[in-house]
Amino acid sequence: MGDERIKDIIEDIDEKEEHPFDIKYRQHVAKVDWENVSTVLNDEERVEHLIKPWM
């Protein structure tokens, strides 16, 4: 296999796979109008959310 063919195969694989962070963000982060959010997490709630596993 030539170098060009190998590069083509790698590029095809890269284009098909989605980055795990993008998948997580798309599935779990809702669109929020942050300018109009009036609720703020207190310290305890913030810590609870930060220690939750991603999956």
Side-chain angles (χ1 to χ4, degrees):
M1 234 183 247
D3 288 344
E4 284 301 315
R5 178 72 180 129
I6 294 170
K7 287 180 185 177
D8 290 341
I9 292 171
I10 292 171
E11 288 173 2
D12 287 345
I13 292 171
D14 288 343
E15 290 173 4
K16 292 176 186 173
E17 292 183 16
E18 191 172 3
H19 192 278
F21 184 81
D22 294 332
I23 295 169
K24 168 71 176 177
Y25 190 86
R26 187 181 69 248
Q27 291 176 351
H28 298 284
V29 178
K31 294 190 185 263
V32 176
D33 181 11
W34 294 109
E35 297 297 322
N36 295 315
V37 172
S38 60
T39 306
V40 178
L41 295 176
N42 65 30
D43 285 338
E44 288 178 16
E45 288 178 307
R46 182 176 50 86
V47 170
E48 285 178 24
H49 285 282
L50 289 173
I51 61 174
K52 286 183 182 176
W54 270 45
M55 303 233 176

